[in-house]
Each structure stands twice: as C-alpha cells, then as structure tokens.
Amino acid sequence: MSQAGAGPNSYTTLASGPDFRHEISIKRSRFITVLRRVEDESSARELVAELRREFYDARHHCSAFVIGADRSLQRSNDDGEPSGTAGTPMLDALVKRVTRLDPQPGQAAADLSDVCAVVVRYFGGILLGAGGLVRAYSESVSTSLALVPLVRRERLKLFTVAVPHNEAGRLENELRSAGYLMTGNDYDAVDTHIGLTMADDAGVISAAMERLASLSAGRCTLTSAGSDWVDTPLR
C-alpha cells in the first residue's frame, strides 16, 4: 500500500469514492472544480487528461495536487491563465486547508494530502483581472473542500493474539470494549488468532501488552503482523 514507509503516521485526505464536483459562477464565467483522491503523480495527471476530454470545449483546465503523507510532492499548472493566477492559488487552497487541531489547545494545522484538484473554466466574456482570477480559483477549491467528505488516514500497527478457542470470545469482547479496532480472526486446531490494530506508537503498544497480560493472566502476548493505513471519517 502506498506510503507505508518512514514519515508522518497520519494525515487527512478525501474519503474514498467517486470524484467530487462543485461549480461556481463569477461574472458569467463557470468554474467547475473536480477533486479526486490520488496516490501518485500519474493518477493526478490522468484526472487532468480525463477532464480535458470531457470538457473539450473549455478554455482552461487548471490543476494542483499534493501527494504523500509528508506532502513532499506538490505541483500546479495555470493552463493558459496568466502566470500565478490559477494553479498557485489552487495549490495554496489545498496545502493551507486547516484539517486538524494540534495537541496544544487552539493550534490549528493543515495536513491535507493525496488530493488532486482540477478547475475547468468556461470564459463568460468578462475579464476578471489577475486579482479576480486568483480569488476565483482559490474560492473554487476552498468551497469544494468545505463540502467534500474527509477522512483521517493513519498508519496503524497490526497484531494477532493466539488464545484457546474457549477463551477467545471473552478476550475479544474485552479488547473491543477497551477501544481496540478488531480486524478479524483466524483459527487453527488449538487457538483462535484474534486480529487487532492500534496506533504505531511505543507507548500505546506497551499499554496494550500490559492490558493483554492482565486480561489473560499473562498467558497471551501480541504478535506483530505488519502495518497498514486505515481511514477514519471526519465528517
């Protein structure tokens, strides 16, 4: 799965699903924004190509995208609009979007990533000027981001716990009640292998090991099963 290496353990992105579309009109020009969740640059560029084919008679297909848990890949394109009036404000709308609160009270932060935005413009005959274009393209993306479903994407550690079949139900219920996300069970002749996941954090994992030892009188332990990215809806 993409972005499973070093770097931030969480960020915000679009919920999985079809492209999100939103249109605004400014001085008779139509600005059609399309947002897509993407995992690499080729996927972002494919969205631009698709929209060029769909809206073949539009004058501009401006784009911006940010990719990676660390948001290291950022690109924008004015597509014929005056330099800096379309792609840059679109990219700013993506990277500056406040998506979470830092642990310090009241400290807002932005960590939106894996998102491509394309704004298709049909010119309405009235020139907007450089400042008007910047505002229009920025508003197009910002308005769409305010409406689109977002998720918190977090890299979680996967574990299994081997427990005798006759004790598995009780232990699984205890772990679930403690707030652990269960991922399903496997079975062999002797044991049920309970799957669960938690934050990739040494303190969290240590606390889970202690809790498991307490619940099983020290008979059961966590066995690492790798890691994966998991989405949690924000709204």
Side-chain angles (χ1 to χ4, degrees):
M1 181 166 291
S2 69
Q3 302 160 33
N9 285 330
S10 64
Y11 61 101
T12 304
T13 189
L14 306 185
S16 296
D19 298 342
F20 180 83
R21 299 191 177 201
H22 182 67
E23 179 175 341
I24 63 174
S25 178
I26 300 176
K27 293 184 178 179
R28 294 192 296 192
S29 280
R30 296 173 60 199
F31 294 85
I32 305 168
T33 300
V34 180
L35 301 177
R36 176 180 291 181
R37 179 167 164 172
V38 295
E39 293 190 343
D40 51 44
E41 185 168 355
S42 63
S43 298
R45 298 197 180 282
E46 178 57 29
L47 174 60
V48 179
E50 289 176 14
L51 295 176
R52 286 190 188 280
R53 292 191 293 268
E54 179 179 351
F55 298 100
Y56 62 88
D57 55 343
R59 181 172 292 190
H60 304 286
H61 304 78
C62 305
S63 59
F65 56 85
V66 54
I67 296 173
D70 58 359
R71 310 206 298 173
S72 58
L73 180 57
Q74 300 180 16
R75 298 285 188 273
S76 65
N77 191 305
D78 294 313
D79 193 40
E81 294 283 27
S83 180
T85 63
T88 297
M90 290 171 61
L91 183 60
D92 283 346
L94 293 176
V95 301
K96 295 179 181 179
R97 181 73 181 180
V98 173
T99 50
R100 63 183 174 87
L101 294 178
D102 275 347
Q104 297 180 356
Q107 295 296 309
D111 67 351
L112 185 69
S113 193
D114 286 2
V115 180
C116 179
V118 179
V119 177
V120 178
R121 182 191 180 194
Y122 283 92
F123 181 55
I126 300 175
L127 296 175
L128 301 183
L133 287 172
V134 169
R135 288 189 294 273
Y137 280 101
S138 177
E139 180 183 348
S140 296
V141 176
S142 295
T143 301
S144 297
L145 289 174
L147 299 172
V148 70
L150 299 176
V151 296
R152 190 78 183 148
R153 188 158 173 78
E154 186 174 12
R155 184 167 55 219
L156 299 178
K157 293 288 289 183
L158 304 177
F159 294 94
T160 60
V161 178
V163 57
H165 296 309
N166 62 342
E167 298 180 25
R170 177 192 62 82
L171 185 60
E172 183 175 0
N173 287 335
E174 293 278 5
L175 292 171
R176 195 184 304 275
S177 297
Y180 293 104
L181 178 64
M182 315 309 291
T183 60
N185 299 337
D186 290 321
Y187 307 90
D188 60 26
V190 177
D191 292 326
T192 297
H193 297 267
I194 300 172
L196 69 159
T197 185
M198 65 195 71
D200 189 2
D201 178 272
V204 172
I205 295 170
S206 177
M209 293 176 68
E210 292 178 4
R211 190 178 194 91
L212 180 61
S214 175
L215 291 172
S216 66
R219 296 190 302 275
C220 298
T221 60
L222 292 175
T223 299
S224 177
S227 63
D228 203 353
W229 288 93
V230 177
D231 293 351
T232 304
L234 292 181
R235 61 171 184 265

